[in-house]
Amino acid sequence: MADLKIVFDKRGEDKLATSVILAALIALPESPWGDLKGKPITDRALATRLRQYSIKSRDIFVAGKGLKGYYPANIGPCHVASLPQDC
């Protein structure tokens, strides 16, 4: 959750396509997302991890194109509160 919050904070957008989130997670320095069991994280793996927090992808529109993605509002105060204080 901390890395996802970093991605949303860094981008500062009201919604992000799953592909953008994945690329940003993989690009984070010293993050495990580029090498999970020898492969980078996928859209399904991200969805599975977020589902445990009741966060689901939504239909979003970026530049008139329909995509799957997430809204930063989905990461509510309860999710942020569950992060360690140094995150």
Side-chain angles (χ1 to χ4, degrees):
M1 289 302 285
D3 286 345
L4 186 60
K5 182 175 181 338
I6 289 168
V7 168
F8 275 112
D9 288 349
K10 196 176 205 180
R11 300 286 300 213
E13 298 177 31
D14 66 337
K15 60 190 170 229
L16 291 176
T18 301
S19 59
V20 172
I21 293 171
L22 293 173
L25 286 172
I26 291 167
L28 286 174
E30 299 185 31
S31 73
W33 308 115
D35 187 20
L36 296 175
K37 299 183 182 178
K39 297 180 182 180
I41 190 169
T42 65
D43 55 344
R44 286 185 158 227
L46 178 64
T48 299
R49 289 172 184 263
L50 294 178
R51 197 173 303 124
Q52 68 184 333
Y53 299 102
S54 299
I55 298 173
K56 296 181 181 181
S57 66
R58 311 240 333 252
D59 293 326
I60 64 169
F61 291 89
V62 178
K65 187 174 182 182
L67 303 168
K68 285 293 191 180
Y70 297 87
Y71 289 88
N74 289 65
I75 306 172
C78 294
H79 299 121
V80 175
S82 69
L83 298 174
Q85 291 299 322
D86 60 342
C87 291

